Amino acid sequence: MSQIYLVLSLLSLLWLRSGATSVSSGSRSILRAIDAEKGDVRDYAVDLNVTNFDAVLRDTPATFAVVEFFAHWCPACRNYKPHYEKVARLFNGPDAVHPGIILMTRVDCASKINTKLCDKFSVGHYPMLFWGHPPKFVSGGWEPKQEKNELRVIDDGRTADKLLHWINKQIGSSFGLDDEKFENEHLSSNGSDPGQIARAVYDVEEATSTAFDIILEQKMIKSETRASLIKFLQLLVAHHPSRRCRKGSAEVLVNFDDLCPSDMWSTEKQEDSDGKSALRNFQICGKDVPRGYWMFCRGSKNDTRGFSCGLWVLLHSLSVRIEDGESQFAFTAICEFVHNFFICEECRQHFYDMCSSVSNPFNKTRDFALWLWSAHNKVNERLIKEEASLGTEDPKFPKMIWPPKQLCSSCHLRRSQRNNSIDWDQDEVFKFLSNYYGKTLVSLYKDKKILGKDGADVALEDLVASTNALVVPVGAALAIAVASCAFGALACYWRSQQKSRKPRRNWN
């Protein structure tokens, strides 16, 4: 048996190595900041080259992109850089004033590695700027005589003022070079447009990464919480809406005993800087996350929405992506995760009380998804009163009982005159939840073909069979899931065993 586990572990490591190299190293420069103490100027524009050009432009959450083709030896390019950086400051990086709208990038055509890339875009002078939707740059090019081209040359952007004026004209905005963070007149409420939830897939990645950063910073992985964390990771591996986070969660599970030993926060372990560094530097949703800003979940003020919004979207997404036989496990995993790892005490206790009030196990996805939806509305009811009395609500995104009629008119039957409560059509609510947090949430990724299933991802989906109720042995369960199609029969057997089990509550 030990030989079988060894083979499975080796196969899983091969899969992880192949996934780790899928995006080239360079794309992390989106969040790069040169050390200011050395006197170097901070660059906001993202440096691209032929190895990361397609990956960065394909994966960016931005709606538009500007690509500057330049040559490092060109005096005009050097003189233009401060102008370009003034505009890039508004849109790029964790401190962006208007994040997620435009990705500002540059390609050095004087580097031999980029010769063919620059030729594809018919670069005839430096600097030369292109504008378009990011996916249109991927595996694409530009020809000056081509009648219909989805990429445009920016012909009037030789100063920061002119470039920003050109951008404002294209998208009907009124951005200014002196804009500061959260001074954003374009931040509109997303309560009536169901399509906007597609942008939240990036916030779900951000929230996942932030949650695990908090767990590590607060040293919350203890002997009594390890099993809860493993359960939640298993849920993420099987059903997280982001492929990047599914793979990252799988890697944590494979190496869980090494990354998170039971005595990891002991005095001796804290002195082991190498072990600590390996855990703290691990990025559960990939090297491009966290980005440092929010998309769908961005509030109109710095201290509103953000992480809590992203975490709710993640939980709702998990609730509609599971199957009937997994509903009790998902309930247990989420309740334990919030109870053990959510650091806001009042919110944590409120959610735990709602979990504790559930007397019967969940047997259907529908029942669990509707329970979570109802729990979220109870939280909103509490916060509506508190924020109104304290004046702490977000004026553009006030808490509300959800979904509003604008999003789902068929969900609303009538409003009770006695207590002003809403009578819901729960069948319509579940249908809405399944579409909103299921298909629509990942539609942006699918449009960009980021969620295309390669061999590793297909094998990863099989992990649902082996992780839903089994906490140990984690490494063996994951290896069986990712090794190859040869283990499909065994995975199906484990899945049938899980579904045939009588669900039982298992949380503190």
Side-chain angles (χ1 to χ4, degrees), residues 24-68:
S24 171
S25 57
S27 57
R28 181 61 181 170
S29 59
I30 292 176
L31 298 182
R32 177 170 62 87
I34 298 176
D35 191 353
E37 293 181 359
K38 297 178 181 179
D40 294 329
V41 177
R42 176 175 181 171
D43 283 352
Y44 294 95
V46 181
D47 291 315
L48 300 181
N49 57 54
V50 70
T51 67
N52 66 0
F53 186 86
D54 284 355
V56 172
L57 288 164
R58 182 185 62 235
D59 294 352
T60 178
T63 306
F64 302 97
V66 177
V67 179
E68 176 200 7

mmCIF file of all heavy atoms in Angstrom, residues 24-68:
data_model
loop_
_atom_site.group_PDB
_atom_site.id
_atom_site.type_symbol
_atom_site.label_atom_id
_atom_site.label_comp_id
_atom_site.label_asym_id
_atom_site.label_seq_id
_atom_site.Cartn_x
_atom_site.Cartn_y
_atom_site.Cartn_z
ATOM 1 N N SER A 24 3.515 32.632 -17.054
ATOM 2 C CA SER A 24 4.917 33.010 -16.943
ATOM 3 C C SER A 24 5.150 33.971 -15.790
ATOM 4 O O SER A 24 4.275 34.677 -15.355
ATOM 5 C CB SER A 24 5.348 33.662 -18.248
ATOM 6 O OG SER A 24 6.606 34.221 -18.124
ATOM 7 N N SER A 25 6.363 34.007 -15.302
ATOM 8 C CA SER A 25 6.767 34.860 -14.208
ATOM 9 C C SER A 25 6.690 36.288 -14.630
ATOM 10 O O SER A 25 6.742 36.662 -14.891
ATOM 11 C CB SER A 25 8.199 34.589 -13.802
ATOM 12 O OG SER A 25 9.053 34.760 -14.857
ATOM 13 N N GLY A 26 6.587 37.180 -14.844
ATOM 14 C CA GLY A 26 6.467 38.506 -15.268
ATOM 15 C C GLY A 26 5.151 39.133 -14.939
ATOM 16 O O GLY A 26 5.069 40.294 -14.731
ATOM 17 N N SER A 27 4.058 38.328 -14.917
ATOM 18 C CA SER A 27 2.753 38.923 -14.708
ATOM 19 C C SER A 27 2.576 39.425 -13.294
ATOM 20 O O SER A 27 1.685 40.212 -13.023
ATOM 21 C CB SER A 27 1.646 37.904 -15.036
ATOM 22 O OG SER A 27 1.796 36.741 -14.268
ATOM 23 N N ARG A 28 3.434 38.990 -12.382
ATOM 24 C CA ARG A 28 3.347 39.495 -11.010
ATOM 25 C C ARG A 28 3.708 40.971 -10.951
ATOM 26 O O ARG A 28 3.421 41.654 -9.970
ATOM 27 C CB ARG A 28 4.291 38.680 -10.108
ATOM 28 C CG ARG A 28 4.273 39.083 -8.631
ATOM 29 C CD ARG A 28 2.906 38.911 -8.020
ATOM 30 N NE ARG A 28 2.879 39.314 -6.641
ATOM 31 C CZ ARG A 28 1.782 39.447 -5.935
ATOM 32 N NH1 ARG A 28 0.613 39.211 -6.492
ATOM 33 N NH2 ARG A 28 1.825 39.814 -4.671
ATOM 34 N N SER A 29 4.291 41.479 -12.030
ATOM 35 C CA SER A 29 4.706 42.882 -12.024
ATOM 36 C C SER A 29 3.526 43.833 -11.939
ATOM 37 O O SER A 29 3.713 45.023 -11.773
ATOM 38 C CB SER A 29 5.518 43.191 -13.285
ATOM 39 O OG SER A 29 4.755 42.925 -14.437
ATOM 40 N N ILE A 30 2.289 43.315 -12.037
ATOM 41 C CA ILE A 30 1.124 44.169 -11.878
ATOM 42 C C ILE A 30 1.147 44.837 -10.511
ATOM 43 O O ILE A 30 0.726 45.971 -10.331
ATOM 44 C CB ILE A 30 -0.175 43.345 -12.051
ATOM 45 C CG1 ILE A 30 -0.291 42.898 -13.506
ATOM 46 C CG2 ILE A 30 -1.404 44.138 -11.650
ATOM 47 C CD1 ILE A 30 -1.466 42.005 -13.770
ATOM 48 N N LEU A 31 1.637 44.137 -9.512
ATOM 49 C CA LEU A 31 1.662 44.684 -8.161
ATOM 50 C C LEU A 31 3.068 45.114 -7.764
ATOM 51 O O LEU A 31 3.351 45.319 -6.597
ATOM 52 C CB LEU A 31 1.146 43.642 -7.166
ATOM 53 C CG LEU A 31 -0.298 43.200 -7.366
ATOM 54 C CD1 LEU A 31 -0.683 42.198 -6.285
ATOM 55 C CD2 LEU A 31 -1.239 44.386 -7.309
ATOM 56 N N ARG A 32 3.977 45.199 -8.733
ATOM 57 C CA ARG A 32 5.372 45.457 -8.409
ATOM 58 C C ARG A 32 5.572 46.907 -7.985
ATOM 59 O O ARG A 32 5.073 47.839 -8.584
ATOM 60 C CB ARG A 32 6.245 45.172 -9.633
ATOM 61 C CG ARG A 32 7.721 45.479 -9.404
ATOM 62 C CD ARG A 32 8.526 44.944 -10.566
ATOM 63 N NE ARG A 32 8.170 45.575 -11.808
ATOM 64 C CZ ARG A 32 8.707 46.705 -12.248
ATOM 65 N NH1 ARG A 32 9.625 47.317 -11.539
ATOM 66 N NH2 ARG A 32 8.343 47.215 -13.401
ATOM 67 N N ALA A 33 6.329 47.097 -6.946
ATOM 68 C CA ALA A 33 6.732 48.439 -6.524
ATOM 69 C C ALA A 33 8.214 48.402 -6.201
ATOM 70 O O ALA A 33 8.655 47.660 -5.340
ATOM 71 C CB ALA A 33 5.950 48.881 -5.300
ATOM 72 N N ILE A 34 8.999 49.179 -6.913
ATOM 73 C CA ILE A 34 10.440 49.214 -6.687
ATOM 74 C C ILE A 34 10.727 49.878 -5.345
ATOM 75 O O ILE A 34 10.052 50.808 -4.930
ATOM 76 C CB ILE A 34 11.134 49.975 -7.828
ATOM 77 C CG1 ILE A 34 10.877 49.240 -9.153
ATOM 78 C CG2 ILE A 34 12.626 50.101 -7.590
ATOM 79 C CD1 ILE A 34 11.435 49.969 -10.347
ATOM 80 N N ASP A 35 11.714 49.379 -4.671
ATOM 81 C CA ASP A 35 12.041 49.842 -3.327
ATOM 82 C C ASP A 35 12.318 51.336 -3.316
ATOM 83 O O ASP A 35 13.296 51.816 -3.894
ATOM 84 C CB ASP A 35 13.265 49.075 -2.824
ATOM 85 C CG ASP A 35 13.511 49.312 -1.338
ATOM 86 O OD1 ASP A 35 12.811 50.167 -0.772
ATOM 87 O OD2 ASP A 35 14.391 48.626 -0.782
ATOM 88 N N ALA A 36 11.427 52.070 -2.632
ATOM 89 C CA ALA A 36 11.557 53.529 -2.622
ATOM 90 C C ALA A 36 12.753 53.984 -1.804
ATOM 91 O O ALA A 36 13.292 55.069 -2.032
ATOM 92 C CB ALA A 36 10.277 54.152 -2.069
ATOM 93 N N GLU A 37 13.183 53.140 -0.851
ATOM 94 C CA GLU A 37 14.304 53.539 -0.008
ATOM 95 C C GLU A 37 15.596 53.640 -0.803
ATOM 96 O O GLU A 37 16.532 54.320 -0.401
ATOM 97 C CB GLU A 37 14.462 52.532 1.130
ATOM 98 C CG GLU A 37 13.298 52.547 2.106
ATOM 99 C CD GLU A 37 13.507 51.560 3.232
ATOM 100 O OE1 GLU A 37 14.556 50.866 3.223
ATOM 101 O OE2 GLU A 37 12.652 51.487 4.126
ATOM 102 N N LYS A 38 15.648 52.955 -1.944
ATOM 103 C CA LYS A 38 16.842 53.025 -2.776
ATOM 104 C C LYS A 38 16.803 54.214 -3.729
ATOM 105 O O LYS A 38 17.710 54.411 -4.511
ATOM 106 C CB LYS A 38 16.988 51.734 -3.586
ATOM 107 C CG LYS A 38 17.181 50.490 -2.713
ATOM 108 C CD LYS A 38 17.280 49.238 -3.559
ATOM 109 C CE LYS A 38 17.454 47.996 -2.697
ATOM 110 N NZ LYS A 38 17.534 46.765 -3.509
ATOM 111 N N GLY A 39 15.712 54.959 -3.663
ATOM 112 C CA GLY A 39 15.627 56.147 -4.491
ATOM 113 C C GLY A 39 15.099 55.887 -5.887
ATOM 114 O O GLY A 39 15.061 56.793 -6.705
ATOM 115 N N ASP A 40 14.693 54.654 -6.179
ATOM 116 C CA ASP A 40 14.172 54.343 -7.500
ATOM 117 C C ASP A 40 12.722 54.796 -7.608
ATOM 118 O O ASP A 40 11.969 54.807 -6.635
ATOM 119 C CB ASP A 40 14.257 52.836 -7.773
ATOM 120 C CG ASP A 40 15.700 52.362 -7.849
ATOM 121 O OD1 ASP A 40 16.533 53.175 -8.275
ATOM 122 O OD2 ASP A 40 15.972 51.203 -7.480
ATOM 123 N N VAL A 41 12.325 55.137 -8.817
ATOM 124 C CA VAL A 41 10.960 55.586 -9.064
ATOM 125 C C VAL A 41 10.050 54.377 -9.185
ATOM 126 O O VAL A 41 10.387 53.391 -9.823
ATOM 127 C CB VAL A 41 10.907 56.435 -10.359
ATOM 128 C CG1 VAL A 41 9.474 56.842 -10.654
ATOM 129 C CG2 VAL A 41 11.798 57.662 -10.218
ATOM 130 N N ARG A 42 8.889 54.472 -8.580
ATOM 131 C CA ARG A 42 7.930 53.382 -8.651
ATOM 132 C C ARG A 42 7.290 53.332 -10.024
ATOM 133 O O ARG A 42 6.842 54.341 -10.546
ATOM 134 C CB ARG A 42 6.861 53.573 -7.581
ATOM 135 C CG ARG A 42 5.754 52.531 -7.656
ATOM 136 C CD ARG A 42 4.807 52.692 -6.500
ATOM 137 N NE ARG A 42 3.765 51.690 -6.539
ATOM 138 C CZ ARG A 42 2.898 51.489 -5.571
ATOM 139 N NH1 ARG A 42 2.957 52.230 -4.489
ATOM 140 N NH2 ARG A 42 1.978 50.563 -5.662
ATOM 141 N N ASP A 43 7.258 52.151 -10.616
ATOM 142 C CA ASP A 43 6.609 51.957 -11.903
ATOM 143 C C ASP A 43 5.215 51.393 -11.696
ATOM 144 O O ASP A 43 5.018 50.432 -10.951
ATOM 145 C CB ASP A 43 7.408 50.975 -12.772
ATOM 146 C CG ASP A 43 8.641 51.622 -13.379
ATOM 147 O OD1 ASP A 43 8.771 52.850 -13.235
ATOM 148 O OD2 ASP A 43 9.449 50.909 -13.978
ATOM 149 N N TYR A 44 4.238 52.015 -12.342
ATOM 150 C CA TYR A 44 2.867 51.527 -12.272
ATOM 151 C C TYR A 44 2.516 50.702 -13.502
ATOM 152 O O TYR A 44 1.748 49.737 -13.408
ATOM 153 C CB TYR A 44 1.890 52.703 -12.151
ATOM 154 C CG TYR A 44 2.026 53.462 -10.855
ATOM 155 C CD1 TYR A 44 2.824 54.601 -10.765
ATOM 156 C CD2 TYR A 44 1.352 53.036 -9.711
ATOM 157 C CE1 TYR A 44 2.942 55.299 -9.576
ATOM 158 C CE2 TYR A 44 1.468 53.730 -8.513
ATOM 159 C CZ TYR A 44 2.272 54.868 -8.454
ATOM 160 O OH TYR A 44 2.399 55.542 -7.265
ATOM 161 N N ALA A 45 3.027 51.075 -14.666
ATOM 162 C CA ALA A 45 2.736 50.321 -15.886
ATOM 163 C C ALA A 45 3.341 48.927 -15.799
ATOM 164 O O ALA A 45 4.415 48.735 -15.215
ATOM 165 C CB ALA A 45 3.269 51.060 -17.109
ATOM 166 N N VAL A 46 2.662 47.951 -16.370
ATOM 167 C CA VAL A 46 3.093 46.556 -16.306
ATOM 168 C C VAL A 46 4.043 46.259 -17.464
ATOM 169 O O VAL A 46 3.699 46.478 -18.627
ATOM 170 C CB VAL A 46 1.880 45.613 -16.377
ATOM 171 C CG1 VAL A 46 2.326 44.155 -16.293
ATOM 172 C CG2 VAL A 46 0.899 45.932 -15.264
ATOM 173 N N ASP A 47 5.243 45.769 -17.150
ATOM 174 C CA ASP A 47 6.203 45.394 -18.179
ATOM 175 C C ASP A 47 5.833 44.031 -18.751
ATOM 176 O O ASP A 47 5.768 43.038 -18.021
ATOM 177 C CB ASP A 47 7.614 45.339 -17.589
ATOM 178 C CG ASP A 47 8.125 46.715 -17.210
ATOM 179 O OD1 ASP A 47 7.950 47.646 -18.019
ATOM 180 O OD2 ASP A 47 8.682 46.863 -16.105
ATOM 181 N N LEU A 48 5.599 44.000 -20.053
ATOM 182 C CA LEU A 48 5.258 42.754 -20.737
ATOM 183 C C LEU A 48 6.379 42.354 -21.686
ATOM 184 O O LEU A 48 7.148 43.198 -22.157
ATOM 185 C CB LEU A 48 3.956 42.911 -21.528
ATOM 186 C CG LEU A 48 2.694 43.287 -20.748
ATOM 187 C CD1 LEU A 48 1.498 43.377 -21.691
ATOM 188 C CD2 LEU A 48 2.418 42.291 -19.635
ATOM 189 N N ASN A 49 6.451 41.068 -21.974
ATOM 190 C CA ASN A 49 7.338 40.567 -23.018
ATOM 191 C C ASN A 49 6.651 39.387 -23.686
ATOM 192 O O ASN A 49 5.520 39.031 -23.320
ATOM 193 C CB ASN A 49 8.710 40.185 -22.452
ATOM 194 C CG ASN A 49 8.610 39.154 -21.349
ATOM 195 O OD1 ASN A 49 8.020 38.095 -21.536
ATOM 196 N ND2 ASN A 49 9.190 39.463 -20.190
ATOM 197 N N VAL A 50 7.298 38.764 -24.627
ATOM 198 C CA VAL A 50 6.653 37.717 -25.407
ATOM 199 C C VAL A 50 6.242 36.527 -24.541
ATOM 200 O O VAL A 50 5.312 35.796 -24.876
ATOM 201 C CB VAL A 50 7.590 37.254 -26.555
ATOM 202 C CG1 VAL A 50 8.784 36.483 -25.998
ATOM 203 C CG2 VAL A 50 6.826 36.440 -27.589
ATOM 204 N N THR A 51 6.899 36.327 -23.403
ATOM 205 C CA THR A 51 6.585 35.165 -22.567
ATOM 206 C C THR A 51 5.334 35.350 -21.715
ATOM 207 O O THR A 51 4.698 34.375 -21.310
ATOM 208 C CB THR A 51 7.768 34.820 -21.638
ATOM 209 O OG1 THR A 51 7.942 35.871 -20.682
ATOM 210 C CG2 THR A 51 9.046 34.625 -22.434
ATOM 211 N N ASN A 52 4.983 36.606 -21.402
ATOM 212 C CA ASN A 52 3.817 36.808 -20.529
ATOM 213 C C ASN A 52 2.736 37.681 -21.152
ATOM 214 O O ASN A 52 1.713 37.955 -20.526
ATOM 215 C CB ASN A 52 4.256 37.419 -19.191
ATOM 216 C CG ASN A 52 4.801 38.836 -19.335
ATOM 217 O OD1 ASN A 52 4.870 39.384 -20.421
ATOM 218 N ND2 ASN A 52 5.199 39.420 -18.217
ATOM 219 N N PHE A 53 2.941 38.136 -22.379
ATOM 220 C CA PHE A 53 2.028 39.077 -23.030
ATOM 221 C C PHE A 53 0.603 38.527 -23.056
ATOM 222 O O PHE A 53 -0.346 39.160 -22.577
ATOM 223 C CB PHE A 53 2.530 39.359 -24.456
ATOM 224 C CG PHE A 53 1.756 40.427 -25.189
ATOM 225 C CD1 PHE A 53 2.086 41.762 -25.036
ATOM 226 C CD2 PHE A 53 0.714 40.094 -26.041
ATOM 227 C CE1 PHE A 53 1.382 42.754 -25.717
ATOM 228 C CE2 PHE A 53 0.002 41.071 -26.723
ATOM 229 C CZ PHE A 53 0.341 42.411 -26.554
ATOM 230 N N ASP A 54 0.424 37.342 -23.624
ATOM 231 C CA ASP A 54 -0.921 36.772 -23.753
ATOM 232 C C ASP A 54 -1.527 36.461 -22.395
ATOM 233 O O ASP A 54 -2.708 36.708 -22.156
ATOM 234 C CB ASP A 54 -0.884 35.496 -24.599
ATOM 235 C CG ASP A 54 -0.732 35.793 -26.087
ATOM 236 O OD1 ASP A 54 -0.742 36.983 -26.464
ATOM 237 O OD2 ASP A 54 -0.594 34.831 -26.872
ATOM 238 N N ALA A 55 -0.727 35.918 -21.479
ATOM 239 C CA ALA A 55 -1.257 35.494 -20.175
ATOM 240 C C ALA A 55 -1.774 36.679 -19.372
ATOM 241 O O ALA A 55 -2.873 36.629 -18.799
ATOM 242 C CB ALA A 55 -0.181 34.754 -19.389
ATOM 243 N N VAL A 56 -1.008 37.765 -19.320
ATOM 244 C CA VAL A 56 -1.412 38.923 -18.527
ATOM 245 C C VAL A 56 -2.652 39.579 -19.120
ATOM 246 O O VAL A 56 -3.603 39.913 -18.395
ATOM 247 C CB VAL A 56 -0.259 39.943 -18.430
ATOM 248 C CG1 VAL A 56 -0.733 41.238 -17.781
ATOM 249 C CG2 VAL A 56 0.898 39.352 -17.638
ATOM 250 N N LEU A 57 -2.685 39.752 -20.431
ATOM 251 C CA LEU A 57 -3.824 40.409 -21.062
ATOM 252 C C LEU A 57 -5.063 39.515 -21.074
ATOM 253 O O LEU A 57 -6.186 40.002 -21.069
ATOM 254 C CB LEU A 57 -3.456 40.833 -22.486
ATOM 255 C CG LEU A 57 -2.478 42.022 -22.532
ATOM 256 C CD1 LEU A 57 -1.847 42.152 -23.900
ATOM 257 C CD2 LEU A 57 -3.193 43.311 -22.150
ATOM 258 N N ARG A 58 -4.860 38.228 -21.066
ATOM 259 C CA ARG A 58 -6.005 37.310 -21.004
ATOM 260 C C ARG A 58 -6.601 37.284 -19.603
ATOM 261 O O ARG A 58 -7.816 37.212 -19.428
ATOM 262 C CB ARG A 58 -5.566 35.897 -21.394
ATOM 263 C CG ARG A 58 -6.717 34.868 -21.407
ATOM 264 C CD ARG A 58 -6.192 33.472 -21.679
ATOM 265 N NE ARG A 58 -5.264 33.050 -20.637
ATOM 266 C CZ ARG A 58 -4.023 32.635 -20.871
ATOM 267 N NH1 ARG A 58 -3.549 32.600 -22.102
ATOM 268 N NH2 ARG A 58 -3.248 32.250 -19.863
ATOM 269 N N ASP A 59 -5.761 37.349 -18.580
ATOM 270 C CA ASP A 59 -6.224 37.153 -17.209
ATOM 271 C C ASP A 59 -6.651 38.436 -16.508
ATOM 272 O O ASP A 59 -7.262 38.374 -15.442
ATOM 273 C CB ASP A 59 -5.122 36.492 -16.369
ATOM 274 C CG ASP A 59 -4.809 35.073 -16.833
ATOM 275 O OD1 ASP A 59 -5.547 34.568 -17.692
ATOM 276 O OD2 ASP A 59 -3.831 34.490 -16.338
ATOM 277 N N THR A 60 -6.336 39.591 -17.050
ATOM 278 C CA THR A 60 -6.630 40.832 -16.345
ATOM 279 C C THR A 60 -8.135 41.042 -16.175
ATOM 280 O O THR A 60 -8.923 40.743 -17.083
ATOM 281 C CB THR A 60 -6.039 42.044 -17.084
ATOM 282 O OG1 THR A 60 -6.395 43.240 -16.362
ATOM 283 C CG2 THR A 60 -6.582 42.163 -18.508
ATOM 284 N N PRO A 61 -8.555 41.557 -15.022
ATOM 285 C CA PRO A 61 -9.965 41.897 -14.850
ATOM 286 C C PRO A 61 -10.360 43.210 -15.513
ATOM 287 O O PRO A 61 -11.541 43.545 -15.558
ATOM 288 C CB PRO A 61 -10.108 42.009 -13.328
ATOM 289 C CG PRO A 61 -8.755 42.390 -12.852
ATOM 290 C CD PRO A 61 -7.784 41.696 -13.778
ATOM 291 N N ALA A 62 -9.386 43.959 -16.033
ATOM 292 C CA ALA A 62 -9.671 45.266 -16.623
ATOM 293 C C ALA A 62 -10.520 45.135 -17.878
ATOM 294 O O ALA A 62 -10.427 44.158 -18.626
ATOM 295 C CB ALA A 62 -8.366 45.991 -16.948
ATOM 296 N N THR A 63 -11.347 46.155 -18.112
ATOM 297 C CA THR A 63 -12.218 46.165 -19.289
ATOM 298 C C THR A 63 -11.455 46.587 -20.540
ATOM 299 O O THR A 63 -11.737 46.109 -21.639
ATOM 300 C CB THR A 63 -13.395 47.131 -19.059
ATOM 301 O OG1 THR A 63 -14.060 46.780 -17.840
ATOM 302 C CG2 THR A 63 -14.393 47.060 -20.211
ATOM 303 N N PHE A 64 -10.493 47.486 -20.367
ATOM 304 C CA PHE A 64 -9.696 47.979 -21.494
ATOM 305 C C PHE A 64 -8.211 47.837 -21.174
ATOM 306 O O PHE A 64 -7.821 47.661 -20.017
ATOM 307 C CB PHE A 64 -10.019 49.451 -21.788
ATOM 308 C CG PHE A 64 -11.460 49.721 -22.096
ATOM 309 C CD1 PHE A 64 -12.317 50.181 -21.107
ATOM 310 C CD2 PHE A 64 -11.972 49.506 -23.371
ATOM 311 C CE1 PHE A 64 -13.654 50.427 -21.372
ATOM 312 C CE2 PHE A 64 -13.301 49.744 -23.656
ATOM 313 C CZ PHE A 64 -14.152 50.209 -22.661
ATOM 314 N N ALA A 65 -7.392 47.954 -22.227
ATOM 315 C CA ALA A 65 -5.942 47.904 -22.047
ATOM 316 C C ALA A 65 -5.276 48.904 -22.972
ATOM 317 O O ALA A 65 -5.756 49.170 -24.081
ATOM 318 C CB ALA A 65 -5.404 46.500 -22.315
ATOM 319 N N VAL A 66 -4.171 49.472 -22.487
ATOM 320 C CA VAL A 66 -3.286 50.285 -23.314
ATOM 321 C C VAL A 66 -1.933 49.585 -23.340
ATOM 322 O O VAL A 66 -1.397 49.221 -22.286
ATOM 323 C CB VAL A 66 -3.116 51.716 -22.756
ATOM 324 C CG1 VAL A 66 -2.135 52.507 -23.612
ATOM 325 C CG2 VAL A 66 -4.462 52.430 -22.698
ATOM 326 N N VAL A 67 -1.410 49.359 -24.528
ATOM 327 C CA VAL A 67 -0.088 48.743 -24.670
ATOM 328 C C VAL A 67 0.831 49.749 -25.353
ATOM 329 O O VAL A 67 0.550 50.198 -26.468
ATOM 330 C CB VAL A 67 -0.146 47.440 -25.486
ATOM 331 C CG1 VAL A 67 1.255 46.849 -25.621
ATOM 332 C CG2 VAL A 67 -1.083 46.429 -24.821
ATOM 333 N N GLU A 68 1.914 50.100 -24.676
ATOM 334 C CA GLU A 68 2.917 51.005 -25.252
ATOM 335 C C GLU A 68 4.090 50.173 -25.770
ATOM 336 O O GLU A 68 4.717 49.429 -25.007
ATOM 337 C CB GLU A 68 3.431 51.989 -24.206
ATOM 338 C CG GLU A 68 4.540 52.885 -24.747
ATOM 339 C CD GLU A 68 5.399 53.511 -23.652
ATOM 340 O OE1 GLU A 68 5.232 53.150 -22.474
ATOM 341 O OE2 GLU A 68 6.268 54.338 -23.995
#
